[in-house]
Amino acid sequence: MPETSDKLIPISRRQPVQRRRRKRPVPKTGQKKVINQQPVSSPRETATLARLNNHSSPAPILPGGRRPASRKMMPPGVKPVPTVKKNTQISPPANVRLKTVRMEKPRIERRGSRKTRLKPMARTMLYALRLLIVGVGVGAIVGTFLSVLDPANRLGSVALVSQTTTTQKTSQTPNTSLYLSQEITSLKNSLQTLTTANSDLISGVFLLDLDSGGYIDINSNASFAAASTIKIPILIAFFQDVDAGKIRLDEMLTMQKEMIAGGSGNMQYQTPGSKYTALDVATKMITISDNTATNMLVAKLGGQEELNGRFRSWGLTTTMIRNPLPDLEGTNTTSPRELGNLISMVNQGNIVSMRSRDLMLNIMNRTERDNLLPAGLGKGANAYHKTGDIGTMLADAGLIDVPTGKRYIAAIMVKRPNNDPRAAKLISSISSAAYQHFSQATVTPSNPTNNQPVTQPVTQPITPPISNYQPPVPPFIQPPVQQPIMNPAMPNGMVNNMPVGSYPPPVITPQYYPPQ
């Protein structure tokens, strides 16, 4: 018996398959015993058992002549095959034929196939519907946005803005506020003859008929030294703040030391710290061309840069303040056309209220220097103007009211040699020629295109005042009735030729302009 037979280990019996067992014949040697072997369920197990049987030795005979039960032995190096639980389901016999049943496709797949057949048409319709929805949505959004931005829908909010802001927006393009029909060639030829008579005098002339729109333009857009004509836009800015409630006419303004300026005016002789009402300061700035009053108003209105920004908002490109007054070097600039535009807007009430317009015209009517534009006017005419005078430039600009009812704007600026008196004679000659032309022209009835407030048509020559305000006249007291007396003796041998019992003449304010 080999030594390795003791190391053999038995193979576990496997459960028989549920089928009929078949007995194997056993050779008859001595006592025969039938050993029921477990049927092999697979070819792999059969091959494994065959190999193990070939290498195994015969089982030893136990005492008594009996053999142990037949066991399958395997070498110790070989691991047993793990037991696999087999499917206990009985497989059908080989001779049974299976019947294949054909199943119908679900309805979902049938619907899918129908959608597939209609896919091109459905896709086109779907895209069209989507585009329609998107278009309607975008149109609604854009329409809402444009309606919000539409100025017509914001009239309510615009009405709440202050009058100053409204007038500033209206006057941003002052040229469009003027109605210019055609140039008056006959008058222009006459004025060009006057301006070219002296080659060393450079003139700029702008005349405008407020009724017909006829105009004269001779170098009117050229830039000239403004001198005291810069006080016209400063006065307009002052009354704009009055309309906005930023300044009261009776507000007290204090004269600071740095505001005192020489040249024209009498405020320079007052002590620093003196107080004046705002209306009094504005009046002195125009009537006696007070430079100290001008500097006080410039400071009150925010300074030079603030005023220059406001001038630009009015559409002015040449008018600019660069230095405080007196600007003897002529750094402050303007042009005849821009001065004429400003006066026209004041007359129409586009840039200030009508109440402020009347106050402005009343102040400008009291300008004391009258040897320029007023010198060329006839009897009964009124000039609402402001002059400018430095060594190298002389100017006058204003509104002229003719007794026939005709009104026109005149702005004349002359660049001259130092203090040349011919400049004053040229301005008065141009004013006289313009007055002769416009006083003979017929007055046209007011219409929507006129650059004047709507009034009743003029049917006969009258002298209507352009403003309801008139220069204040000092009251006179009726003298008591006395007995006739002889003319009193006058000093220095002068004789009083005034009739007895008549009123004394009004006191004339002294001239504040320095003699030329």
Side-chain angles (χ1 to χ4, degrees):
M1 183 175 182
E3 296 177 356
T4 60
S5 63
D6 295 337
K7 300 180 180 180
L8 296 178
I9 58 175
I11 301 176
S12 62
R13 295 177 180 266
R14 299 190 179 271
Q15 297 295 331
V17 184
Q18 295 182 1
R19 63 182 179 178
R20 183 179 297 179
R21 297 181 181 178
R22 183 173 57 182
K23 296 182 180 180
R24 291 184 180 181
V26 179
K28 299 179 180 180
T29 55
Q31 294 182 357
K32 298 180 181 180
K33 186 177 181 180
V34 179
I35 300 173
N36 295 329
Q37 296 182 354
Q38 183 178 0
V40 181
S41 59
S42 65
R44 183 177 180 183
E45 292 180 359
T46 304
T48 304
L49 292 177
R51 287 196 304 271
L52 294 176
N53 290 333
N54 291 334
H55 292 282
S56 64
S57 59
I61 301 174
L62 297 177
R66 292 182 303 164
R67 289 186 178 184
S70 178
R71 297 182 179 179
K72 301 297 181 181
M73 308 298 294
M74 61 185 301
V78 179
K79 294 182 180 180
V81 179
T83 304
V84 181
K85 186 178 180 181
K86 294 188 177 181
N87 189 5
T88 58
Q89 184 179 0
I90 302 175
S91 60
N95 57 358
V96 178
R97 300 181 61 184
L98 299 177
K99 183 177 180 181
T100 303
V101 180
R102 188 171 183 179
M103 299 180 64
E104 297 180 357
K105 296 182 179 179
R107 292 186 177 183
I108 297 177
E109 297 181 0
R110 184 177 301 174
R111 291 179 181 176
S113 62
R114 180 179 299 176
K115 185 176 180 180
T116 304
R117 290 195 303 270
L118 299 177
K119 188 172 183 178
M121 183 181 297
R123 181 178 297 178
T124 304
M125 295 179 63
L126 182 61
Y127 286 166
L129 182 60
R130 288 178 179 175
L131 290 176
L132 180 61
I133 294 175
V134 171
V136 173
V138 172
I141 295 174
V142 173
T144 304
F145 182 73
L146 293 178
S147 64
V148 172
L149 298 180
D150 187 8
N153 295 333
R154 297 186 294 172
L155 292 178
S157 60
V158 173
L160 300 178
V161 182
S162 62
Q163 185 176 1
T164 302
T165 306
T166 305
T167 54
Q168 287 181 0
K169 291 182 179 180
T170 305
S171 60
Q172 285 182 358
T173 55
N175 289 337
T176 59
S177 65
L178 296 177
Y179 172 66
L180 304 179
S181 59
Q182 60 181 359
E183 196 165 13
I184 307 173
T185 56
S186 58
L187 179 60
K188 183 177 182 179
N189 295 333
S190 301
L191 298 182
Q192 283 181 335
T193 303
L194 295 175
T195 57
T196 57
N198 300 303
S199 59
D200 53 349
L201 299 179
I202 301 176
S203 304
V205 180
F206 179 73
L207 303 176
L208 174 63
D209 186 347
L210 294 176
D211 295 323
S212 64
Y215 66 97
I216 303 296
D217 185 350
I218 302 176
N219 199 26
S220 66
N221 289 318
S223 176
F224 289 85
S228 291
T229 59
I230 198 67
K231 298 171 184 177
I232 295 177
I234 294 175
L235 183 68
I236 295 174
F238 168 75
F239 277 102
Q240 276 191 342
D241 284 359
V242 171
D243 293 337
K246 299 179 181 180
I247 302 177
R248 292 181 49 175
L249 294 177
D250 58 351
E251 180 178 349
M252 301 303 295
L253 303 182
T254 304
M255 183 179 67
Q256 304 295 334
K257 183 177 181 181
E258 61 273 10
M259 300 175 183
I260 298 177
S264 58
N266 58 6
M267 293 179 65
Q268 57 183 315
Y269 305 113
Q270 304 300 323
T271 60
S274 301
K275 295 182 179 298
Y276 303 88
T277 64
L279 180 59
D280 191 16
V281 173
T283 302
K284 289 179 179 296
M285 180 182 68
I286 300 298
T287 56
I288 61 176
S289 193
D290 198 299
N291 293 328
T292 303
T294 305
N295 294 334
M296 292 175 62
L297 281 189
V298 170
K300 180 62 178 178
L301 297 174
Q304 300 177 9
E305 294 301 325
E306 177 68 22
L307 286 174
N308 289 334
R310 192 178 300 191
F311 298 163
R312 289 190 294 269
S313 70
W314 299 343
L316 307 180
T317 58
T318 307
T319 305
M320 185 173 297
I321 304 176
R322 295 180 176 88
N323 285 307
L325 298 180
D327 180 34
L328 300 179
E329 294 78 12
T331 59
N332 302 332
T333 57
T334 187
S335 67
R337 171 65 71 94
E338 291 187 353
L339 291 177
N341 289 348
L342 288 175
I343 297 173
S344 174
M345 288 189 295
V346 170
N347 174 65
Q348 292 176 301
N350 291 339
I351 198 169
V352 294
S353 66
M354 300 302 290
R355 174 178 177 273
S356 295
R357 181 203 73 165
D358 292 343
L359 288 174
M360 286 185 60
L361 294 179
N362 176 264
I363 293 173
M364 296 176 69
N365 189 34
R366 288 185 277 161
T367 300
E368 294 184 354
R369 186 170 185 177
D370 56 358
N371 65 332
L372 300 178
L373 281 179
L377 304 181
K379 183 178 180 180
N382 291 318
Y384 309 85
H385 66 114
K386 180 68 191 78
T387 59
D389 183 4
I390 58 175
T392 59
M393 198 279 304
L394 187 65
D396 200 356
L399 175 66
I400 309 301
D401 181 22
V402 182
T404 60
K406 174 70 68 176
R407 295 184 305 162
Y408 64 93
I409 292 174
I412 307 171
M413 307 185 76
V414 179
K415 184 178 180 181
R416 61 179 178 175
N418 191 26
N419 292 324
D420 194 326
R422 293 177 299 167
K425 185 177 180 180
L426 176 61
I427 293 177
S428 61
S429 300
I430 294 175
S431 176
S432 177
Y435 178 79
Q436 294 298 326
H437 174 83
F438 289 114
S439 61
Q440 297 175 2
T442 58
V443 180
T444 58
S446 60
N447 55 71
T449 58
N450 280 349
N451 291 299
Q452 61 179 359
V454 178
T455 57
Q456 296 295 330
V458 179
T459 56
Q460 58 184 358
I462 57 175
T463 57
I466 202 168
S467 170
N468 295 328
Y469 293 87
Q470 296 295 334
V473 179
F476 297 100
I477 301 175
Q478 178 71 29
V481 179
Q482 298 180 356
Q483 296 296 329
I485 58 175
M486 299 297 295
N487 292 339
M490 301 296 292
N492 300 328
M494 297 180 62
V495 180
N496 184 6
N497 294 323
M498 183 178 66
V500 178
S502 63
Y503 291 98
V507 178
I508 300 176
T509 305
Q511 179 71 32
Y512 289 98
Y513 282 88
Q516 295 183 358

